[in-house]
Amino acid sequence: MSGDIPGMAETDRINWKRWLYMGIGILLFVVVYVAPPWPDAVDPGGKHFLLSREGKGALAIFLLAGTWWVFEVLPIGITSIAIGVLQTLFLIRPVEKVFSNFMDPSVMFIFASIMIGLVFTKTGLTKRLAYKMLTVVGENTGMIMLGCFVVTAALTHIMAHTAVAATMYPLFLSIYALYGEGSKPTKFGKGLFIGMAYICGAGSVITLLGSARAPVAIGFFKQFTGNEITFFGLSYYLFPVGWLMVFLLWGFIMVVFKPEKKVIPGLRERAARLSVEMGPISRKEILAAVIVFGCILVMSLRSFVPFLNPIDKTAIILISTLLFFITGIMDLDDLEALPWNIILLFGGAMSIGYCLWETGAAEWLAVNWLVMFQKASGFVFILSIAFFIMIMTNFIMNVAAIAISLPVALVIAPYLGVAPEVILFSALFTAGMPFLLLVGAAPNAIAYDSRQFTTGEFFFYGIPASILMMIVVAFCVKILWPLMGMPVLTQG
């Protein structure tokens, strides 16, 4: 017997598992929030870091939100609203700060990036690109995935990984539509979209243009060591390891999500026929491409043209949104079609990230973690920093994860005979690849919009992917980077 009442509608049945996970999140919040004050964190120099009532409250909300996001007890955007409400109700931060984070420049950057993806879909550019790609890579599903991943990684060398994900996402949807399974989840679909999120992260570590985290980390590095890391100096060490991760992740995806079909018979001919049926490229397609790539070009030049540097990249990419509506490419219906669930998700992620940072909770965590390894070997200490940043970047902005961890690590490193360069590069490598939670990076959430996987599945498969990444970090620290001339240890 099923235990259901005869005649009970599906919507009337109680989802006990959902209520259980919701209760676990609330219980974690209550236990942490009402617990007696926790001991200070103390760094090697004897400096104390107090965990205030507000800081403990931030950790409590952090645990509740993480639980609800992983088990998806509420729509992920609604959980983000709970983050703002709890901060306000428990007087953890002023309401003006709490909800202004929901419109943070990073959230607006994601909004503009998603608009670009919608424009590419509406004008037909994504289908045109998808058909051209498929005529090149052929009918083998493994090669189709590899082709998609290589193009995605290459684009992150010249534009922010969020913009890359938003641009490639509709192209991936067009390719998946030709798989022949409609919109239902498949192993090929899971691998394609989870892989897109992973590859955006792996590619973004290679140059300064892939994300905001690298310029911030280099700034801290110069402040603490006086040494400058150049654009090409960064890429020299991260190009080989970034592309190593791209191919390893492709192999991982092919093993874990082995496509149901080895080939899609007739796909090449079908793609070629559909490309021809689309006819010549339209005026709107050309206009959309000019607007998008014009904005990308200006954002890329910010690193090289001094007078462009003070202009924030968010303002530049939002120009594309304005031009889409000014030129008539987009209208009100398109604005209403935006995935607001995803945008709210990142509003909440920014809010809890700033909450942990401003209350001192994140710094308290970083000091407590790193001082545990202050007597360890240099190799273990380097991996401990990489691991901590990997975990933190899944919950808070990777820029914030680096900002709270790198200064502490650079202070401890000389006592263990560890060179600062290896601390910087291992931190940048893991900060770029949050494989566990959707809030870790915008490409994760954009991929989730495909409905090919759940938040729980993303977390579950992210565990072995994260372990793979840590193995690669260990290989780099022990073998690859020393062979390339990077100093690792300053003594012994």
Side-chain angles (χ1 to χ4, degrees):
M1 292 179 67
S2 64
D4 295 327
I5 300 172
M8 180 184 285
E10 186 69 32
T11 55
D12 292 333
R13 294 172 185 162
I14 298 174
N15 186 338
W16 293 109
K17 187 179 289 186
R18 172 177 173 268
W19 284 101
L20 172 64
Y21 293 135
M22 188 178 293
I24 290 173
I26 294 170
L27 179 63
L28 288 170
F29 173 85
V30 172
V31 168
V32 172
Y33 188 76
V34 303
W38 292 351
D40 296 356
V42 184
D43 71 11
K47 183 179 177 181
H48 284 248
F49 295 83
L50 169 73
L51 183 65
S52 63
R53 179 195 68 83
E54 292 81 8
K56 198 147 65 68
L59 290 176
I61 296 173
F62 173 66
L63 290 172
L64 178 143
T67 304
W68 285 11
W69 272 327
V70 169
F71 296 106
E72 212 168 346
V73 299
L74 294 173
I76 52 180
I78 302 304
T79 294
S80 291
I81 292 175
I83 288 170
V85 169
L86 289 171
Q87 287 181 68
T88 305
L89 289 180
F90 288 88
L91 306 179
I92 293 170
R93 285 198 306 155
V95 65
E96 296 83 2
K97 285 189 173 184
V98 169
F99 289 105
S100 65
N101 297 151
F102 279 73
M103 294 296 284
D104 184 86
S106 295
V107 179
M108 295 305 295
F109 188 93
I110 292 164
F111 164 83
S113 298
I114 291 173
M115 287 297 297
I116 289 173
L118 291 176
V119 165
F120 272 46
T121 301
K122 183 176 181 178
T123 58
L125 270 172
T126 50
K127 285 186 177 180
R128 193 179 296 277
L129 291 170
Y131 299 153
K132 292 294 184 185
M133 178 187 288
L134 291 172
T135 57
V136 173
V137 299
E139 302 172 349
N140 182 283
T141 48
M143 290 299 101
I144 291 171
M145 276 199 188
L146 180 60
C148 289
F149 293 168
V150 167
V151 171
T152 300
L155 285 175
T156 61
H157 296 1
I158 58 170
M159 56 194 281
H161 69 331
T162 300
V164 172
T167 303
M168 294 298 292
Y169 172 71
L171 187 145
F172 279 41
L173 283 178
S174 297
I175 289 173
Y176 185 68
L178 297 173
Y179 190 61
E181 297 296 332
S183 59
K184 74 176 185 179
T186 62
K187 286 185 177 180
F188 179 72
K190 291 180 194 293
L192 191 64
F193 288 98
I194 290 178
M196 182 194 83
Y198 288 178
I199 298 300
C200 279
S204 73
V205 306
I206 294 172
T207 74
L208 279 171
L209 304 178
S211 72
R213 78 186 82 91
V216 170
I218 287 172
F220 277 117
F221 184 79
K222 184 176 181 180
Q223 179 183 338
F224 277 82
T225 67
N227 298 330
E228 184 81 54
I229 300 294
T230 65
F231 183 95
F232 295 105
L234 177 113
S235 297
Y236 172 73
Y237 289 115
L238 291 179
F239 183 91
V241 68
W243 277 102
L244 173 63
M245 276 302 297
V246 168
F247 290 107
L248 287 176
L249 286 169
W250 170 67
F252 170 77
I253 292 292
M254 289 302 297
V255 170
V256 176
F257 302 110
K258 186 177 181 181
E260 295 86 350
K261 304 173 185 177
K262 189 172 183 180
V263 296
I264 308 174
L267 179 63
R268 191 193 295 270
E269 291 77 14
R270 186 182 175 194
R273 186 182 72 253
L274 289 170
S275 180
V276 171
E277 289 174 0
M278 288 192 73
I281 190 166
S282 68
R283 183 189 69 83
K284 282 193 173 181
E285 286 178 274
I286 295 172
L287 185 57
V290 169
I291 291 170
V292 171
F293 290 108
C295 288
I296 291 170
L297 177 63
V298 175
M299 284 192 293
S300 301
L301 289 174
R302 285 174 66 246
S303 298
F304 306 101
V305 181
F307 82 88
L308 289 175
N309 191 257
I311 304 173
D312 189 84
K313 67 181 187 300
T314 302
I316 296 170
I317 198 170
L318 279 169
I319 291 172
S320 67
T321 301
L322 292 173
L323 290 174
F324 293 150
F325 284 89
I326 290 169
T327 57
I329 296 174
M330 303 290 273
D331 54 34
L332 181 60
D333 291 339
D334 299 308
L335 188 63
E336 293 173 349
L338 275 171
W340 291 103
N341 190 41
I342 303 301
I343 295 169
L344 278 174
L345 167 69
F346 272 91
M350 296 301 294
S351 189
I352 189 60
Y354 279 116
C355 184
L356 289 164
W357 194 353
E358 292 175 6
T359 60
E363 194 170 35
W364 181 87
L365 284 172
V367 173
N368 268 321
W369 173 261
L370 293 176
V371 296
M372 288 195 298
F373 298 92
Q374 61 182 320
K375 297 186 184 298
S377 68
F379 178 70
V380 171
F381 178 69
I382 294 165
L383 292 187
S384 75
I385 295 162
F387 180 81
F388 179 80
I389 291 177
M390 180 195 76
I391 296 298
M392 290 302 292
T393 200
N394 276 281
F395 288 94
I396 65 175
M397 304 160 291
N398 48 38
V399 171
I402 284 178
I404 62 176
S405 309
L406 199 60
V408 179
L410 290 173
V411 168
I412 298 174
Y415 294 100
L416 300 176
V418 174
E421 287 83 359
V422 74
I423 299 288
L424 172 69
F425 284 97
S426 58
L428 282 174
F429 186 69
T430 55
M433 288 176 269
F435 295 156
L436 299 172
L437 295 180
L438 299 184
V439 294
N444 299 359
I446 291 170
Y448 170 78
D449 199 47
S450 68
R451 303 298 178 193
Q452 285 292 315
F453 58 89
T454 66
T455 54
E457 286 176 321
F458 191 84
F459 179 81
F460 176 77
Y461 292 112
I463 294 172
S466 297
I467 292 171
L468 174 65
M469 177 174 60
M470 288 303 301
I471 293 171
V472 172
V473 173
F475 164 72
C476 290
V477 173
K478 204 73 176 176
I479 300 171
L480 180 62
W481 286 338
L483 286 175
M484 296 177 69
M486 180 190 292
V488 174
L489 299 177
T490 57
Q491 62 185 36

